[in-house]
Amino acid sequence: MNITLTFRLGRNTLPTETEQLHDLWRVARLLQPLGFPISRWYPPADTPEHSLLNPAFDDNGPAPAAVAILKAEMQALQTPWRRDTAVWNGTEGPGGVVCVNALSVDPYLPNCTLRLNAKRVDALQDTRNVVTVVQGLLQIWQARTLEVAPIRYQTRMKVFPDRPGAGWMLYVPTVLTVQQVPEAATLLPVMGQPRKQAGTLIISVADAPFSADNPDHVRIANRIEVRLVDQDLLPRYADQ
């Protein structure tokens, strides 16, 4: 299952490496109640074995070694307008989770992303758990869109390749009503500041995990996408 969140920094310079890793630490804290200890996240390295030598976080935030690794990578790349960083939970295959945060202050490519890829994680097959994680992510970043779907749905099965897909869940920064999206199983308001609704989380299937192998699930998600486009409520990636 993939969660993909898009946002913009709203500033002309990248945050520090410590600040970027701190946001990923906040993501790790969201996953901690689901069985992912905060001390078992690791920065990338040339081999999995080398990665496991350096925990990315401790209880208070990013570990100094992880910050140093990210700084060294950025000095080698010399790309002051863009920085990608990632952490993983040290598990390859089923049960593995990778979080990738890509930041940009390039005026021609201003979109930033947070991607969370989970491979057969039982806790993330529960609608309530996924909603809790999504709501937490929307408190970290002011999202332009957020998608929750299997990667096969995102890459091959959504209706509009140039727009976000409904998949299992889709956040749009628009207040929606049931009349506007009758195909959705649930619409959840997402609150911003100060106590004002910032957008809506559309849940296509509420009583089971979304499956790209289930024609009914795919049909519902596709209908939601068409419904939103007909009302000019589903932006193109290029327009975000």
Side-chain angles (χ1 to χ4, degrees):
M1 189 64 64
N2 277 8
I3 300 177
T4 304
L5 181 151
T6 65
F7 63 101
R8 290 189 181 177
L9 284 174
R11 54 191 285 181
N12 296 323
T13 58
L14 293 173
T16 67
E17 289 85 355
T18 300
E19 289 171 332
Q20 186 173 8
L21 281 169
H22 187 269
D23 283 341
L24 288 178
W25 174 76
R26 294 175 69 185
V27 176
R29 288 190 64 191
L30 293 174
L31 297 172
Q32 192 172 10
L34 304 183
F36 297 92
I38 202 75
S39 61
R40 295 185 184 176
W41 291 92
Y42 307 92
D46 55 347
T47 67
E49 292 76 18
H50 288 167
S51 173
L52 295 175
L53 296 175
N54 296 293
F57 311 123
D58 58 32
D59 288 339
N60 299 313
V67 175
I69 290 169
L70 182 54
K71 286 183 176 179
E73 289 177 350
M74 289 307 300
Q75 289 173 354
L77 291 173
Q78 296 182 342
T79 53
W81 59 90
R82 180 179 177 86
R83 185 195 302 131
D84 296 2
T85 191
V87 294
W88 70 309
N89 70 330
T91 299
E92 299 181 90
V97 180
V98 177
C99 297
V100 182
N101 185 214
L103 302 182
S104 174
V105 290
D106 184 339
Y108 299 103
L109 296 168
N111 280 346
C112 305
T113 59
L114 181 282
R115 300 181 188 278
L116 190 156
N117 176 248
K119 297 181 179 179
R120 301 180 191 175
V121 174
D122 290 342
L124 291 175
Q125 296 297 301
D126 184 289
T127 303
R128 293 169 297 179
N129 289 341
V130 177
V131 167
T132 298
V133 171
V134 165
Q135 289 173 328
L137 294 175
L138 293 171
Q139 294 300 311
I140 301 173
W141 291 282
Q142 187 175 347
R144 301 173 77 83
T145 58
L146 182 148
E147 306 169 62
V148 182
I151 191 169
R152 186 156 66 94
Y153 183 87
Q154 289 178 315
T155 58
R156 295 170 49 191
M157 306 177 83
K158 63 183 182 179
V159 179
F160 307 101
D162 60 337
R163 301 174 191 262
W168 193 2
M169 302 179 195
L170 171 66
Y171 168 80
V172 291
T174 304
V175 177
L176 298 176
T177 66
V178 173
Q179 290 73 23
Q180 288 173 298
V181 198
E183 295 84 1
T186 306
L187 297 179
L188 293 180
V190 176
M191 306 308 292
Q193 296 295 334
R195 296 184 180 180
K196 183 178 179 181
Q197 186 172 346
T200 306
L201 181 63
I202 305 166
I203 302 176
S204 64
V205 179
D207 58 353
F210 184 94
S211 173
D213 294 322
N214 188 319
D216 290 335
H217 291 185
V218 173
R219 190 177 303 113
I220 291 168
N222 285 174
R223 287 177 177 172
I224 290 171
E225 292 159 17
V226 171
R227 178 80 66 176
L228 292 173
V229 167
D230 286 346
Q231 299 173 82
D232 197 24
L233 295 171
L234 189 63
R236 293 181 175 86
Y237 290 119
D239 297 334
Q240 294 182 38

